[in-house]
Amino acid sequence: AQSVTQLGSHVSVSEGALVLLRCNYSSSVPPYLFWYVQYPNQGLQLLLKYTSAATLVKGINGFEAEFKKSETSFHLTKPSAHMSDAAEYFCAVSFGNNRLAFGKGNQVVVIP
Amino acid sequence: NAGVTQTPKFQVLKTGQSMTLQCAQDMNHNSMYWYRQDPGMGLRLIYYSASEGTTDKGEVPNGYNVSRLNKREFSLRLESAAPSQTSVYFCASSEVGGTNEKLFFGSGTQLSVL
């Protein structure tokens, strides 16, 4: 079955430290891949998406993600966390048919 | 610059009551979606409408109905609310509905069923 896995519901990171959020998918065919961010009391916003043009994708607010076909992964990183990065982050995978499958999300807490 | 607008923002229902969640987009998008968000579950697709006049079931359609009233509006109806439908509901839209498209989300409706 096609699925999206995000491990660790809550992630704590110190201000200025590396942010790393992991996303793995199961599919025999490379899907379309996305990261969305949700700030408190708001809807989701697109952070970045993989378009197959390049394996390293740069998004908004200094985030980037790398597609690794051999590992079926699309991990999200940011070199230096800022207080404003506190939010919930969702990996999403499109397997076709107008449907996005979302991971369970990572709640990121930034410690001053 | 409204984007996707959902009403109401909050609602409390008693078991068995009915209600309709409204959604409208002003971006001339063809495709619209209803998701529910539950803690630790991510977002799950309830129904979607690829274009005006069409609707299809998503992952968790039981207990819900939808209407694509026109290109702008896509409503979600709970005919007989149950406590299991307590959730945050998000409406979203996309330009064409392709698999590589960005979704635009509303700010959500927090629904509690007692």
Side-chain angles (χ1 to χ4, degrees):
Chain A
Q2 297 166 328
S3 64
V4 185
T5 302
Q6 285 182 257
L7 296 178
S9 60
H10 285 77
V11 176
S12 293
V13 59
S14 297
E15 191 175 14
L18 171 72
V19 179
L20 170 60
L21 303 179
R22 300 178 188 274
C23 175
N24 289 86
Y25 65 90
S26 63
S27 174
S28 58
V29 177
Y32 295 101
L33 300 157
F34 307 78
W35 276 97
Y36 281 84
V37 59
Q38 184 181 28
Y39 298 104
N41 300 313
Q42 295 185 26
L44 279 71
Q45 305 172 35
L46 182 68
L47 203 53
L48 51 80
K49 69 177 183 179
Y50 171 66
T51 63
S52 77
T55 57
L56 185 63
V57 182
K58 294 188 183 300
I60 61 173
N61 300 335
F63 283 92
E64 60 183 34
E66 185 173 9
F67 171 63
K68 292 187 176 181
K69 183 179 178 179
S70 61
E71 298 178 8
T72 59
S73 69
F74 191 55
H75 300 333
L76 181 71
T77 60
K78 181 173 180 177
S80 177
H82 191 273
M83 295 301 293
S84 61
D85 295 326
E88 191 158 18
Y89 294 79
F90 294 93
C91 180
V93 180
S94 174
F95 297 111
N97 298 323
N98 284 311
R99 301 188 183 193
L100 271 185
F102 284 87
K104 294 183 178 181
N106 292 123
Q107 184 68 52
V108 172
V109 175
V110 182
I111 302 168
Chain B
N1 195 22
V4 179
T5 303
Q6 291 182 236
T7 56
K9 291 190 180 299
F10 302 94
Q11 184 72 48
V12 179
L13 293 177
K14 295 180 179 178
T15 298
Q17 287 186 316
S18 63
M19 78 159 295
T20 300
L21 279 65
Q22 306 286 354
C23 175
Q25 52 89 11
D26 62 1
M27 296 172 283
N28 201 36
H29 285 173
N30 286 306
S31 297
M32 298 185 73
Y33 311 81
W34 276 106
Y35 286 89
R36 61 176 288 173
Q37 182 181 25
D38 301 292
M41 300 288 288
L43 276 77
R44 292 180 292 171
L45 182 64
I46 305 172
Y47 271 93
Y48 69 97
S49 171
S51 61
E52 186 179 356
T54 68
T55 61
D56 286 287
K57 295 179 180 180
E59 185 182 356
V60 288
N62 290 346
Y64 305 95
N65 286 301
V66 290
S67 295
R68 184 73 182 268
L69 305 171
N70 48 55
K71 192 171 185 179
R72 290 187 64 249
E73 299 172 288
F74 188 40
S75 63
L76 178 72
R77 183 162 179 83
L78 287 70
E79 291 291 352
S80 179
S84 61
Q85 294 178 305
T86 293
S87 187
V88 181
Y89 291 84
F90 287 99
C91 178
S93 69
S94 64
E95 188 172 357
V96 176
T99 55
N100 196 29
E101 277 200 311
K102 171 183 178 179
L103 292 183
F104 293 79
F105 284 84
S107 57
T109 295
Q110 190 167 323
L111 175 66
S112 294
V113 183
L114 306 178

